[in-house]
């Protein structure tokens, strides 16, 4: 319960965090190309460049994955180690956990595309 409360505060507290059910099922079943929403704790920011930002995110004890964000019009997400982020995008499985990509607005994708939310701000 304490972790959930901390997560709500870290993401701004206005909306409950999206559950990880679909993401965890995709990981367990080895699915790829699945649209998911979820949340997790930033283990550390990974190398980024002018166009892309990447985070290693711990979803639970069994799953850590890379969340890739195309900066574009959305701007950089100012999250750092131990921050909780919420996200939506396309999950790509690989044995090491996988990655969530396409975390940017795209009307051609389910739900209007992806996003990352941090401290009550949505980056899409």
């Amino acid at each position: 319960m304490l972790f959930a409360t901390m997560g709500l505060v870290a993401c701004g507290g206005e909306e409950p965090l999206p559950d990880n059910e679909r993401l965890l099922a995709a990981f367990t079943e080895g699915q790829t190309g699945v649209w998911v929403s979820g949340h997790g704790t930033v283990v550390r920011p990974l190398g980024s460049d002018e166009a892309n930002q990447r985070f290693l995110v711990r979803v639970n004890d069994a799953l850590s994955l890379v969340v890739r964000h195309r900066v574009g019009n959305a701007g950089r997400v100012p999250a750092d180690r131990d921050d909780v982020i919420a996200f939506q995008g396309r999950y790509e499985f690989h044995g090491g956990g996988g990655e969530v990509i396409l975390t940017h607005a795209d009307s051609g994708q389910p739900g209007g595309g992806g996003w990352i939310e941090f401290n009550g701000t949505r980056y899409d």
Side-chain angles (χ1 to χ4, degrees), residues 35 60 73 111:
W35 278 88
N60 65 16
N73 294 332

Side-chain angles (χ1 to χ4, degrees), residues 99-118:
E99 65 181 338
V100 174
I101 63 172
L102 302 179
T103 59
H104 59 275
D106 183 343
S107 61
Q109 300 298 335
W115 44 262
I116 294 177
E117 190 171 283
F118 173 65

Side-chain angles (χ1 to χ4, degrees), residues 5-26:
T5 303
M6 288 174 30
L8 286 174
V9 171
C11 274
E14 295 87 18
E15 303 270 334
L17 293 168
D19 71 54
N20 292 321
E21 186 175 328
R22 186 174 169 103
L23 170 61
L24 293 171

Side-chain angles (χ1 to χ4, degrees), residues 59-79:
V59 174
N60 65 16
D61 289 339
L63 177 61
S64 292
L65 51 79
V66 173
V67 175
R68 185 181 305 236
H69 174 62
R70 187 174 77 188
V71 175
N73 294 332
R76 292 194 173 279
V77 179

Side-chain angles (χ1 to χ4, degrees), residues 3 20 38-42 57-59 83-87:
F3 176 72
N20 292 321
H39 70 278
T41 303
V42 175
V57 175
R58 183 179 59 251
V59 174
D83 288 332
V84 174
I85 62 171
F87 50 83

